[in-house]
Amino acid sequence: MTLADKPEEACGVFAVYAPGRKVANLTFDGLYALQHRGQESAGMAVSDHQSVTVYKNMGLVSHVFDDRTLASLPGDLAIGHTRYSTTGASNWRNAQPVYRSVGPYGFAVAHNGNLTNTIALAEKIGMLPGMVSSDSDLMAELIAMRFPKDKPDSVDPSIKPGEALIDATMEVIQDLEGAYSLVLMDSEVIVAVRDPSGFRPLCLGKLEAGGYVFASETPALDVVGARFIREIDPGEMVVAGAFGVKSYHPFLKSKIDPKLCIFEFVYFARPDSRLLDQEVHGARRRMGIYLSRTLPVEADMVMGVPDSGVPAAEGYAYESKIPYGQGLVKNRYIGRTFISPDPSSRVSAVRRKLNPLSENITGKRLVVVDDSIVRGTTTRSMVKMLKAAGASEVHLRISSPPYKWPCFYGINTPSRKDLLAAKYDMEEMRTYLEADSLAFLSLPDLRAAIGFEDGFCDACLTGNYPTFISIEN
Ligand code: SF4
């Protein structure tokens, strides 16, 4: 489901190094494939080996860039970003990439995730709270502070270009806590880093014509014709430049603790993304299969809430042998973003986005499959809408466990008091939602559907945060 009553994504990152090839259009295509991860602003930084040029603005990728803008961005290495704000205001200043120039150097940073020690880091360098506009901005500041004033000696004879950026990044990430999948660039190299828990995805691909691509999700590699090589490991830093690619492991082994966000599988990632060596669509379908064994119900039709509830609904129908059908049509011209400041306008948003297929549902007992419930306001409104359109019963089945805790790792969620599952028990939730029955997938079944027992963050479902969360968050 793609309404405000969902955890909301927090950015997509893309980077490309393609020697001798103009990459602004490739970067546009990559960002376009990552649009679902953030729709507030978009931007790219491009280098022609002389200087780094940044272009960014508020809006969707296709609104920010046009042919003329792309033609004005020469260069064969670039990073790009699509943003959904989780820290910092939604304004141009916080759009990314963030750029800094230090003496003869210029570099740019694009970030997916949220730091959990932003305030402590800012205090350490004497910044007052109001001076930090976002955690990404602070990161750029920390890196800039570590740039040498003069060109330093090479730390690695095989990599001369970009050495200042590589050294500074390697130092700064030792102090960062929380979630960051980063791409950085100067005039010569791309640097890609994933935090030691690997909360947010980041993968590496190779262009047939030569060069490398980094992206939050694999469809961004597909669209630019890059072959998937592998995911960047948690705690790994990979540098791409004229020398090819080079991998670094800057953290102590004891710090590495893989905790990929389990909601990437449930909702955030595109269904055609590959994560942990499998297509997300298949995992969602299996979630539906397991879900059908939880609280079985007699019904006439299984339907999914468009779009992200659909694969699980297919799995549910397959396993339960209840026919699958479409009960809601989504207005395909409305983007994924919907930010309503108050609950009453959020309710009307459901009607703007979804409309029932009355002939398909009249008189039917429906199993309605969705991926998650956060506040519950839109789900409640949708149940009412289906019943008003003629459904005789609505049985809600949710392909993830109850969402009870806020996220601090780059996903925008309301505070605990607004999370339906934190306020109510199962029967109270069912009553509030006006559903005839309600069931959620269990955590063991969710893990089984994904095919891995460990290696996930599930803090929003369990309250077990993998990193220390200070009270100031
Ligand atoms: S708290 Fe939830 S949404 Fe946030 S990273 Fe962990 S699993 Fe993902």
Side-chain angles (χ1 to χ4, degrees):
M1 189 168 173
T2 55
L3 303 172
D5 192 10
K6 291 286 167 189
E8 280 152 351
E9 300 84 345
C11 313
V13 295
F14 182 85
V16 54
Y17 180 86
R21 193 169 162 194
K22 192 171 180 299
V23 293
N25 287 73
L26 285 184
T27 308
F28 173 87
D29 286 335
L31 292 179
Y32 201 70
L34 298 173
Q35 185 72 86
H36 62 290
R37 296 185 74 87
Q39 303 90 40
E40 287 184 10
S41 64
M44 69 174 80
V46 186
S47 166
D48 59 1
H49 301 268
Q50 302 298 316
S51 58
V52 177
T53 309
V54 180
Y55 188 89
K56 58 188 180 180
N57 216 333
M58 303 305 291
L60 299 171
V61 177
S62 57
H63 295 165
V64 171
F65 297 101
D66 58 21
D67 286 339
R68 225 176 60 175
T69 328
L70 293 172
S72 71
L73 293 167
D76 62 5
L77 66 155
I79 64 171
H81 192 264
T82 57
R83 179 166 196 258
Y84 182 88
S85 58
T86 48
T87 73
S90 173
N91 58 30
W92 185 88
R93 191 182 162 204
N94 285 326
Q96 297 191 31
V98 176
Y99 178 77
R100 286 287 188 285
S101 69
V102 190
Y105 307 101
F107 72 92
V109 184
H111 172 208
N112 174 201
N114 254 23
L115 299 186
T116 54
N117 64 337
T118 307
I119 294 170
L121 285 171
E123 280 173 2
K124 210 166 138 184
I125 58 169
M127 286 175 88
L128 298 170
M131 291 166 72
V132 183
S133 72
S134 73
D135 54 352
S136 315
D137 195 53
L138 176 68
M139 229 183 294
E141 192 60 34
L142 292 170
I143 291 170
M145 286 172 71
R146 282 177 170 82
F147 260 60
K149 295 283 174 284
D150 305 306
K151 196 166 177 60
D153 292 336
S154 171
V155 288
D156 180 341
S158 68
I159 303 178
K160 283 200 170 24
E163 61 202 11
L165 180 63
I166 295 165
D167 290 352
T169 304
M170 226 183 277
E171 271 183 50
V172 167
I173 56 178
Q174 301 298 333
D175 293 333
L176 308 182
E177 287 171 19
Y180 52 92
S181 278
L182 298 174
V183 289
L184 308 95
M185 68 178 291
D186 64 6
S187 61
E188 301 295 334
V189 300
I190 303 282
V191 179
V193 194
R194 208 166 160 208
D195 66 70
S197 296
F199 285 104
R200 310 258 72 92
L202 189 62
C203 62
L204 170 66
K206 192 171 188 333
L207 291 161
E208 288 310 318
Y212 293 90
V213 178
F214 300 90
S216 295
E217 293 185 41
T218 57
L221 304 184
D222 301 336
V223 76
V224 300
R227 180 171 49 83
F228 171 78
I229 297 179
R230 64 180 177 86
E231 293 181 16
I232 307 299
D233 288 334
E236 185 185 10
M237 176 167 136
V238 178
V239 183
F243 45 82
V245 283
K246 189 170 168 75
S247 165
Y248 296 81
H249 292 88
F251 294 100
L252 291 174
K253 273 212 172 87
S254 56
K255 276 196 90 174
I256 309 293
D257 180 22
K259 294 286 179 204
L260 175 64
C261 168
I262 207 163
F263 257 79
E264 292 284 350
F265 274 101
V266 173
Y267 171 68
F268 302 135
R270 283 172 51 143
D272 53 339
S273 274
R274 292 192 69 80
L275 282 173
L276 302 180
D277 253 351
Q278 58 183 310
E279 205 164 70
V280 167
H281 179 273
R284 287 184 187 158
R285 197 169 180 281
R286 288 192 294 281
M287 289 170 207
I289 289 174
Y290 283 99
L291 185 58
S292 76
R293 300 170 192 159
T294 315
L295 201 64
V297 62
E298 281 194 19
D300 305 306
M301 187 175 109
V302 177
M303 54 169 277
V305 180
D307 295 315
S308 50
V310 171
E314 286 171 10
Y316 192 110
Y318 170 83
E319 184 70 3
S320 66
K321 313 270 188 302
I322 300 169
Y324 176 81
Q326 196 180 350
L328 288 165
V329 170
K330 184 182 149 200
N331 179 347
R332 68 178 69 170
Y333 299 104
I334 290 184
R336 200 166 186 174
T337 298
F338 191 88
I339 305 153
S340 300
D342 65 88
S344 59
S345 58
R346 207 171 289 122
V347 170
S348 66
V350 180
R351 292 226 71 108
R352 284 211 296 265
K353 280 204 167 189
L354 298 173
N355 211 24
L357 286 167
S358 298
E359 283 184 21
N360 255 12
I361 62 175
T362 296
K364 286 187 181 154
R365 297 166 298 172
L366 302 176
V367 173
V368 178
V369 181
D370 202 358
D371 54 83
S372 57
I373 297 177
V374 178
R375 294 180 183 89
T377 45
T378 54
T379 308
R380 182 177 194 233
S381 177
M382 179 193 65
V383 172
K384 276 181 198 248
M385 191 166 71
L386 290 168
K387 289 196 170 174
S392 62
E393 294 174 16
V394 173
H395 300 274
L396 283 175
R397 295 294 180 271
I398 309 301
S399 62
S400 63
Y403 200 107
K404 290 185 177 172
W405 302 83
C407 175
F408 297 105
Y409 304 118
I411 300 303
N412 205 28
T413 45
S415 62
R416 215 165 171 237
K417 66 176 176 36
D418 294 323
L419 296 172
L420 191 72
K423 288 192 294 192
Y424 298 143
D425 66 19
M426 193 64 77
E427 179 53 23
E428 287 168 338
M429 278 194 277
R430 187 201 64 74
T431 305
Y432 171 79
L433 296 168
E434 299 183 26
D436 293 278
S437 73
L438 171 68
F440 293 81
L441 188 67
S442 71
L443 190 55
D445 280 351
L446 174 56
R447 290 196 182 121
I450 296 170
F452 290 85
E453 269 300 298
D454 324 300
F456 296 109
C457 173
D458 53 25
C460 51
L461 312 174
T462 60
N464 299 326
Y465 292 96
T467 64
F468 174 73
I469 301 292
S470 74
I471 209 81
E472 60 209 13
N473 283 301

